Amino acid sequence: MNFFWIWNGKRIKQGLIIVVAAFFTAIILFTEGGELAVFTSNDVPLAIDQVKSKDKRIALTFDISWGETKAIPILDQLKKNKVKASFFISGAWAERHPEIVEQIVKDGHEIGNLGYKYENYTTMENEEIRKDIIRSHEAIKKVAGTQPELLRPPNGNFDKRVLTLSDKMNYTVIHWSLDSEDWRNPGMETIVENVASGADPGDIILLHASDSAKQTADAIPNIISTLKKKGYTFYTVSELVSNADIKSKEIK
């Protein structure tokens, strides 16, 4: 049996007006009310995505979950260019490579929690997520001598449950606003272009220091020099978001 939708012209017009009005209302809500771009819904805690600012502030962030050959060259480039960044590391990796974690701390970079097993939190039960965060927290604390307060869920996957659990554990979830796509190994020039062409004030940039990111270390000097020429200054994530006002958009 075939079914046909019969649309009344007047109803279509009314529907379009409602949709357009809702769209512009959403834009207004998103562009007003502060500087800090976040994901939130009602009373659900926040996940920071970007800081909206007139100043050209920006943060480089590096995820590390495995490998030992790429992190040190990246650290060397950051040190040479006098740039501080935020490193999100897995607890299991921290246990295997304490000497690299110690170097990250020594160089003055910020350390965040990337979970312990590097598994998708949205597919895990609440208690599993909680235990994974705690296990990673303790591992990082033992090696780094600091207690991480920022959490980037593995692969950047999170939902309202993850936000709520993280908040109860005194963690702020950090996402990103600009993906360098260095994990694809598209070539050093492409990585630089992905960052330089898409950068906006307040961006949190996703990069990787795991061994799978084979071209990132070579791209770092050009990323830094290009952004500096455009007037950008570099901050850790905590520095970037400090004293920022909150802006919100709904997360499903």
Side-chain angles (χ1 to χ4, degrees):
M1 182 181 295
N2 295 321
F3 291 88
F4 297 90
W5 290 99
I6 300 175
W7 293 90
N8 179 279
K10 184 177 181 181
R11 290 183 178 178
I12 293 174
K13 184 176 180 180
Q14 291 174 339
L16 287 173
I17 291 173
I18 293 172
V19 170
V20 171
F23 175 75
F24 282 103
T25 299
I27 291 177
I28 292 171
L29 290 173
F30 184 69
T31 56
E32 294 181 353
E35 295 182 342
L36 182 61
V38 300
F39 299 97
T40 184
S41 178
N42 299 324
D43 294 329
V44 176
L46 311 176
I48 297 172
D49 169 64
Q50 181 188 39
V51 174
K52 292 297 184 182
S53 173
K54 294 179 181 179
D55 299 326
K56 287 192 170 183
R57 298 177 292 170
I58 208 162
L60 301 181
T61 69
F62 297 86
D63 287 4
I64 315 179
S65 58
W66 71 279
E68 60 182 8
T69 65
K70 302 304 178 184
I72 293 299
I74 288 173
L75 287 171
D76 289 343
Q77 291 295 344
L78 292 173
K79 187 174 184 178
K80 181 178 180 180
N81 288 277
K82 299 180 180 179
V83 167
K84 296 295 186 292
S86 297
F87 285 79
F88 291 86
I89 64 179
S90 74
W93 181 85
E95 290 176 340
R96 294 193 299 269
H97 305 289
E99 72 287 349
I100 302 179
V101 178
E102 291 170 1
Q103 188 63 49
I104 293 173
V105 175
K106 182 180 179 182
D107 288 352
H109 301 294
E110 180 174 44
I111 289 184
N113 192 340
L114 193 62
Y116 189 86
K117 295 184 292 185
Y118 202 75
E119 294 182 2
N120 187 348
Y121 281 173
T122 63
T123 65
M124 297 166 63
E125 298 295 330
N126 287 3
E127 186 60 19
E128 289 183 280
I129 298 171
R130 192 183 70 84
K131 288 181 177 179
D132 189 81
I133 293 174
I134 291 175
R135 187 178 182 186
S136 185
H137 180 96
E138 293 302 320
I140 294 171
K141 177 183 174 182
K142 182 178 180 180
V143 175
T146 60
Q147 298 198 57
E149 297 178 349
L150 305 180
L151 174 71
R152 175 169 284 167
N155 291 313
N157 294 322
F158 63 90
D159 53 21
K160 294 178 182 179
R161 280 187 316 122
V162 175
L163 291 176
T164 301
L165 285 168
S166 302
D167 183 66
K168 289 180 179 179
M169 300 172 72
N170 297 316
Y171 265 105
T172 299
V173 174
I174 303 297
H175 202 248
W176 58 83
S177 52
L178 180 58
D179 186 352
S180 68
E181 298 191 11
D182 60 341
W183 53 276
R184 295 180 182 272
N185 295 309
M188 184 266 287
E189 292 181 357
T190 300
I191 295 171
V192 174
E193 178 64 17
N194 288 343
V195 175
S197 63
D200 288 313
D203 270 339
I204 296 175
I205 300 173
L206 174 65
L207 294 146
H208 297 80
S210 292
D211 280 8
S212 56
K214 304 180 186 302
Q215 301 159 343
T216 305
D218 292 333
I220 292 301
N222 286 339
I223 288 175
I224 293 173
S225 63
T226 302
L227 291 178
K228 281 185 175 180
K229 287 178 182 178
K230 291 186 174 185
Y232 284 95
T233 53
F234 298 87
Y235 293 79
T236 65
V237 170
S238 291
E239 291 170 340
L240 189 70
V241 304
S242 62
N243 300 318
D245 294 325
I246 293 176
K247 177 192 284 189
S248 65
K249 62 181 177 180
E250 185 174 4
I251 176 175
K252 301 297 184 181

